[in-house]
Amino acid sequence: MSMQDMAGGGDVGGADVATTNAMPIAIMEKGEDGMDSASQISFEGDEPTEEDRRNLRKVADKLPWSAFLVAAIELCERFTYYGLSGPFQNYIQNDYNDPSGLPGAIGLGETGATGLTIVIGLGTGGIKSNVSPLIAEQYRGTKQTIKVLKSGERVIVDPGITIQRIYMIFYLCINVGSLSSIATTELEQRVGFWTAFLLCYCMFIVGIVVLVAGKKLYIVRPPRGSVIPNAVKAMYIGLANRGNMNAAKPSYQDEYGRKYSTPWNDLFIDEVKRGLIACRVFVFYPIYWVVYSQMLNNFISQAATMQLHGIPNDIMQNIDSLTIILFIPIMDSLVYPILRKMGIPFRPITRITMGFVFAALSMAYAAIVQHLIYSAGPCYKAPLACPAANDTEPNHVHVAVQTPAYFLIGLSEIFASITGLEYAFTKAPPSMKSFVMSIFLLQSAFGSALGIALAPTAEDPKLVWMYTGLCIATIITAGLFWILFKRYNATEESMNALEDRGEKAVAANEVGATGILGQRSASVGHQTEPRNMA
């Protein structure tokens, strides 16, 4: 231990901590003679002992500024995506000078608009799969460490909780950007679609400029050959040995007779196993994304059949964003810390399950709203399509009735969507983070495919049963998810501990044309041996 560590200074969990005069804390235990004896001494900056882990509160570390820069880039991208989504539904669905009075251009109807709106989401995959891990990589801490607060309280700085906070902030920025739909929906109604689309284009250009301008400030992983072929080969060996992934470890091959070439080390197999756990968890997400997508298409169409009182039908979706913006600070600064202080860690699998439950409740409420619409005149089960409506008078239900559905979707995102991003990053092997994040985001595409399959049911008078079916499917998914994966809560910290043994991210200015400048260790996907890079 260095003199700096002895004084209580040094780097704590990736953040600089001022040197203090804090004295070492002795952990006392009863000896065999009944007398107290100091069994272990833990210093500020040291890893916590088992006694510390049982008794000390866990907190997040200080976040690097580069993480906020990446969050700003994502804000610009989401500004563009959500700013387009609302007007695009009207642009495709309604005719130019539509008799309903709603803005429009092409007139393909609700089914065609729902299908084409989903296509927009497919274009975001390349951005999201790289930006999502990049923001968490700005934080370099991988070990739990002891820290003494100004109040004198000893706490554990936990990288897992820090990553959770990073993605909470990341998602907060996403939803600040999503408020762009307030501006774009007003522009489409009062000026024209071209102004809404131009605003989104300009904001996207700002994001690109920020991305390029801050290039040298980011913490990145150096470019390397793909480890996916090795991962696929390792999984093949595991399958050939009845699902025993340990059979792909070099140590296993040496002990039981080498049958396969294994150009990796044992750690790589442990990391692949961890990544596979994440991928199994993600299999349940498509049904969630189908539910989420209702907010971007069918909820907008539902609002068009209600009394708007001058409110654009596609502005209501901003209630979802406002819910997230309001509740993320509450959850991060109040609810989660209180639960941890009470000894309730509220681990990822539990949070994701809760997210699915809130999504199911949203669909249940949407079915109730749709029933209210069908029960009201003048057109009952054929809104805007009966002679009494004259194509302009919606059913007599106020659009504000939709509010709880958006509120419940927002809560579901805080639990399911944010935790999914966190899980994809923390469970992915260091050299496969973008790949595993892509697998997580790919579930949104599968959800979009399911949404396209459901599109024929997105018409009157079938909508009550569509929302009811989605509610039932989502609550069943939540139950199965909890039954199958609740055991992973118990191994959460041990799985995250593998991060400290893998390949590390480095500052962008430390990466040369062929990799890290100077000496580094190639420890993931290859045998560990130092090598010099030009």
Side-chain angles (χ1 to χ4, degrees):
M1 182 179 294
S2 66
M3 292 299 294
Q4 185 182 28
D5 290 333
M6 291 290 288
D11 186 81
V12 178
D16 292 333
V17 177
T19 301
T20 70
N21 295 321
M23 297 299 292
I25 307 297
I27 307 300
M28 309 302 293
E29 292 183 351
K30 292 288 185 180
E32 294 182 359
D33 57 0
M35 299 296 291
D36 288 337
S37 61
S39 61
Q40 190 170 356
I41 297 177
S42 58
F43 296 86
E44 183 171 2
D46 282 355
E47 289 189 51
T49 64
E50 288 303 318
E51 184 79 10
D52 292 332
R53 290 189 173 96
R54 286 193 297 268
N55 298 318
L56 299 185
R57 184 165 62 94
K58 294 178 181 177
V59 299
D61 203 350
K62 181 180 178 181
L63 304 185
W65 279 107
S66 56
F68 292 100
L69 188 61
V70 176
I73 295 167
E74 181 65 3
L75 187 155
C76 294
E77 189 269 337
R78 292 287 91 181
F79 183 102
T80 303
Y81 174 75
Y82 285 105
L84 286 175
S85 295
F88 192 76
Q89 181 80 6
N90 281 340
Y91 185 83
I92 300 297
Q93 177 176 340
N94 304 321
D95 288 314
Y96 183 68
N97 291 328
D98 195 87
S100 67
L102 296 171
I106 297 178
L108 292 183
E110 183 174 350
T111 300
T114 299
L116 286 176
T117 301
I118 292 169
V119 175
I120 296 179
L122 300 178
T124 66
I127 297 173
K128 294 284 288 183
S129 63
N130 288 285
V131 173
S132 297
L134 179 63
I135 188 170
E137 286 177 346
Q138 304 313 298
Y139 175 68
R140 305 175 77 171
T142 56
K143 293 181 179 180
Q144 292 183 342
T145 53
I146 296 292
K147 182 178 181 180
V148 180
L149 303 179
K150 292 181 179 179
S151 63
E153 180 189 6
R154 296 173 67 245
V155 296
I156 297 175
V157 176
D158 190 340
I161 293 175
T162 306
I163 296 299
Q164 178 183 329
R165 171 166 291 178
I166 285 174
Y167 279 116
M168 295 281 267
I169 293 172
F170 182 66
Y171 216 77
L172 180 67
C173 289
I174 287 174
N175 283 276
V176 170
S178 73
L179 293 177
S180 62
S181 59
I182 296 176
T184 56
T185 52
E186 286 293 323
L187 286 171
E188 69 161 311
Q189 187 176 54
R190 302 184 185 280
V191 183
F193 285 102
W194 70 272
T195 54
F197 297 155
L198 178 62
L199 176 63
C200 294
Y201 172 78
C202 292
M203 195 66 176
F204 198 75
I205 293 299
V206 171
I208 293 174
V209 170
V210 173
L211 175 66
V212 174
K215 181 180 178 182
K216 294 183 179 180
L217 303 177
Y218 307 129
I219 303 298
V220 298
R221 293 193 183 274
R224 297 187 57 186
S226 174
V227 298
I228 295 175
N230 279 347
V232 171
K233 182 178 180 180
M235 287 186 284
Y236 169 77
I237 295 173
L239 289 173
N241 287 268
R242 300 181 179 180
N244 181 16
M245 284 296 296
N246 288 330
K249 290 183 175 181
S251 60
Y252 184 99
Q253 292 290 312
D254 292 339
E255 183 176 353
Y256 294 99
R258 181 166 292 278
K259 294 175 59 178
Y260 305 96
S261 171
T262 54
W264 50 72
N265 55 21
D266 286 2
L267 173 61
F268 179 68
I269 301 304
D270 289 334
E271 291 178 331
V272 170
K273 288 163 63 178
R274 183 179 60 163
L276 287 173
I277 288 174
C279 291
R280 287 199 292 268
V281 167
F282 300 156
V283 167
F284 285 79
Y285 267 85
I287 186 65
Y288 173 78
W289 293 123
V290 173
V291 169
Y292 170 81
S293 69
Q294 302 309 304
M295 179 186 68
L296 302 177
N297 42 62
N298 287 322
F299 280 15
I300 295 173
S301 299
Q302 184 186 67
T305 67
M306 305 171 75
Q307 292 185 323
L308 297 174
H309 299 280
I311 301 172
N313 68 309
D314 46 7
I315 204 171
M316 292 294 291
Q317 62 184 311
N318 292 287
I319 296 171
D320 167 80
S321 299
L322 292 171
T323 299
I324 293 170
I325 292 169
L326 174 64
F327 277 89
I328 278 181
I330 293 174
M331 298 302 295
D332 183 58
S333 302
L334 186 63
V335 177
Y336 289 159
I338 288 175
L339 289 174
R340 287 194 293 267
K341 199 166 186 177
M342 295 171 59
I344 305 173
F346 207 42
R347 298 195 188 279
I349 298 301
T350 308
R351 279 182 269 144
I352 294 171
T353 303
M354 288 297 298
F356 287 178
V357 170
F358 278 116
L361 292 175
S362 175
M363 291 299 98
Y365 185 81
I368 293 171
V369 172
Q370 195 64 50
H371 175 73
L372 291 175
I373 293 171
Y374 287 161
S375 301
C379 294
Y380 299 97
K381 292 188 178 182
L384 297 172
C386 68
N390 196 26
D391 292 331
T392 59
E393 185 179 356
N395 286 9
H396 297 165
V397 179
H398 198 293
V399 71
V401 174
Q402 275 194 324
T403 299
Y406 286 105
F407 175 77
L408 290 167
I409 284 282
L411 291 180
S412 79
E413 288 184 71
I414 293 174
F415 292 116
S417 185
I418 296 177
T419 308
L421 291 169
E422 173 193 336
Y423 210 78
F425 181 84
T426 58
K427 301 303 174 289
S431 55
M432 298 176 65
K433 291 194 179 295
S434 288
F435 177 72
V436 174
M437 187 66 73
S438 298
I439 297 296
F440 171 67
L441 297 173
L442 181 63
Q443 307 314 305
S444 178
F446 292 148
S448 297
L450 289 175
I452 292 173
L454 285 172
T457 68
E459 61 182 11
D460 299 313
K462 304 175 183 177
L463 290 167
V464 170
W465 294 109
M466 185 198 74
Y467 291 128
T468 301
L470 285 174
C471 171
I472 294 171
T474 308
I475 203 68
I476 291 173
T477 299
L480 290 174
F481 182 86
W482 175 251
I483 292 169
L484 292 174
F485 300 126
K486 62 181 179 180
R487 67 185 188 276
Y488 292 146
N489 278 338
T491 59
E492 175 70 13
E493 290 191 1
S494 61
M495 286 192 291
N496 290 347
L498 288 173
E499 188 76 12
D500 185 55
R501 299 162 56 197
E503 179 188 71
K504 302 296 190 296
V506 298
N509 57 13
E510 296 176 18
V511 180
T514 58
I516 302 176
L517 298 176
Q519 191 178 61
R520 64 185 294 271
S521 175
S523 61
V524 179
H526 303 278
Q527 297 290 353
T528 303
E529 57 181 20
R531 55 177 176 169
N532 292 321
M533 304 296 291

